[in-house]
Amino acid sequence: MFKALVVEKDEDGKTSAAVQELSLEQLPAGDVTVAVEYSTVNYKDGLCIGPGGGLVRNYPHVPGIDMAGTVEASDNPCYKVGDKVVLTGWRVGEAYWGGYSQKARVKAEWLVPLPEGLDTRQAMAVGTAGFTAMLAVMALEDHGIKDGPVLVTGAAGGVGSVATAILAHLGHQVAAVTGRPETADYLTSLGATQIVPREEINEITRRPLEAETWGGCVDAVGGEMLARVLGQMKYGASVSAVGLAGGAGMPASVIPFLLRGVNLLGIDSVMQPYDNRVRAWARIAKDLPMDRLEAMIQPATLTDLPELGRGILKGQVKGRVVVDVNA
């Protein structure tokens, strides 16, 4: 028997989440069984712990879109017992049972070997948010980061925190946007050189172009803020779009694309090909300072997850939550 956070739905459609004991026979089909050590908390996890947000297909359900641990059994030649592995994406924790469990059975192609230089706890301090941040930075690099500060919106969140730390480590000036003034010291500790209050950049303007200010941008907000930022990018600069906390609609003009050659780069972490996953994780191990990663960590256990799920949906979770599933 092992412990897992199980979400159930009653006949009235109301969901509830609690830690339960399960048996190996209850795990879904898969060719690799992982002894999970750590998971984390993302916005999608908050949805899946609660009413599901349309992400969960069947109940009872075990959420957790991230996990890191040790291979306990394998029918796939790519992995052997004792291998350290990481899993993010592939709709695990949404359509499939996820990492809020001491045991997980998954498909081998969903896994990535834990890169040298990271342990499983650090990997989950990174998690989907940090993995997405690295993909966003790589995309900016592939298109050429211009001179000047790189803007990070939603900077105190999971993606923003890691993006700030990575960009600063790579030698870029980082302008961190936040709506929470109390996070200024935290963002400065991650390497931000400028704190931009959210209200300064979240207003709709009728001007399609403003002063060329930013050499690149990792945007975790979308909506009106993204529309405003596009008009402030330097010529040929790029924006990596990774989130929609500010809304899925974007009241923008095509003028920044036509007159300044601005690039809007969509970043998907869920269905990323294996080779790019390995590349991103290798870059994380190399370019994310471990001391700054440690500063982001908020420890948690399985029993903390229902409250944390509600908190992240309200924007009340800072940095990276690391869930020790065996605590």
Side-chain angles (χ1 to χ4, degrees):
M1 302 294 287
F2 60 91
K3 293 180 179 179
L5 183 77
V6 180
V7 182
E8 296 185 302
K9 179 182 284 188
D10 63 22
E11 294 179 355
D12 297 325
K14 184 178 180 180
T15 59
S16 59
V19 177
Q20 299 182 16
E21 287 203 347
L22 303 177
S23 65
L24 287 173
E25 291 73 23
Q26 291 174 273
L27 289 175
D31 50 4
V32 179
T33 302
V34 178
V36 182
E37 295 165 20
Y38 296 96
S39 186
T40 185
V41 179
N42 302 278
Y43 192 85
K44 283 184 178 179
D45 295 315
L47 293 173
C48 295
I49 292 170
L55 300 176
V56 179
R57 289 180 177 176
N58 299 298
Y59 293 91
H61 178 67
V62 176
I65 68 171
D66 298 336
M67 68 180 78
T70 304
V71 173
E72 193 172 76
S74 176
D75 296 324
N76 189 292
C78 293
Y79 295 98
K80 64 181 185 301
V81 174
D83 285 347
K84 296 289 186 179
V85 291
V86 180
L87 191 155
T88 63
W90 301 112
R91 298 212 65 201
V92 171
E94 304 172 41
Y96 311 99
W97 280 20
Y100 292 163
S101 174
Q102 294 172 337
K103 308 284 184 185
R105 190 175 292 135
V106 298
K107 295 181 180 180
E109 56 262 36
W110 294 342
L111 298 169
V112 173
L114 184 73
E116 281 191 41
L118 288 181
D119 59 31
T120 52
R121 178 176 177 271
Q122 291 168 330
M124 286 298 94
V126 175
T128 283
F131 175 65
T132 303
M134 190 72 248
L135 291 173
V137 172
M138 287 163 46
L140 292 182
E141 291 175 338
D142 291 344
H143 286 77
I145 298 177
K146 308 305 176 184
D147 292 336
V150 179
L151 189 71
V152 178
T153 70
V159 175
S161 293
V162 179
T164 298
I166 291 172
L167 287 163
H169 179 73
L170 292 171
H172 298 287
Q173 291 181 306
V174 180
V177 181
T178 180
R180 294 179 279 173
E182 68 275 11
T183 64
D185 290 344
Y186 166 72
L187 292 168
T188 301
S189 75
L190 297 181
T193 55
Q194 179 182 352
I195 306 299
V196 181
R198 181 170 58 196
E199 58 270 17
E200 288 188 10
I201 205 166
N202 202 33
E203 296 177 0
I204 298 177
T205 177
R206 294 183 178 180
R207 292 176 292 168
L209 294 176
E210 299 181 72
E212 296 183 50
T213 306
W214 316 114
C217 174
V218 176
D219 175 61
V221 176
E224 295 172 357
M225 186 178 294
L226 175 56
R228 181 82 183 274
V229 167
L230 288 170
Q232 299 177 350
M233 302 305 296
K234 292 195 171 186
Y235 188 91
S238 301
V239 178
S240 289
V242 303
L244 42 62
M250 186 177 70
S253 164
V254 298
I255 297 298
F257 307 116
L258 301 180
L259 297 187
R260 285 194 185 156
V262 171
N263 304 297
L264 181 58
L265 312 173
I267 306 299
D268 167 62
S269 64
V270 177
M271 307 303 289
Q272 275 289 319
Y274 176 82
D275 288 347
N276 212 38
R277 288 178 181 272
V278 173
R279 176 189 170 210
W281 278 105
R283 284 289 306 275
I284 287 166
K286 173 176 174 287
D287 292 325
L288 177 57
M290 290 302 111
D291 59 336
R292 290 178 179 171
L293 180 66
E294 192 66 32
M296 304 177 200
I297 293 176
Q298 174 183 339
T301 66
L302 288 176
T303 55
D304 297 324
L305 286 169
E307 182 177 353
L308 285 167
R310 290 187 291 270
I312 199 167
L313 294 180
K314 296 176 182 177
Q316 297 172 345
V317 174
K318 181 183 76 173
R320 304 295 299 129
V321 176
V322 176
V323 183
D324 183 345
V325 301
N326 296 297

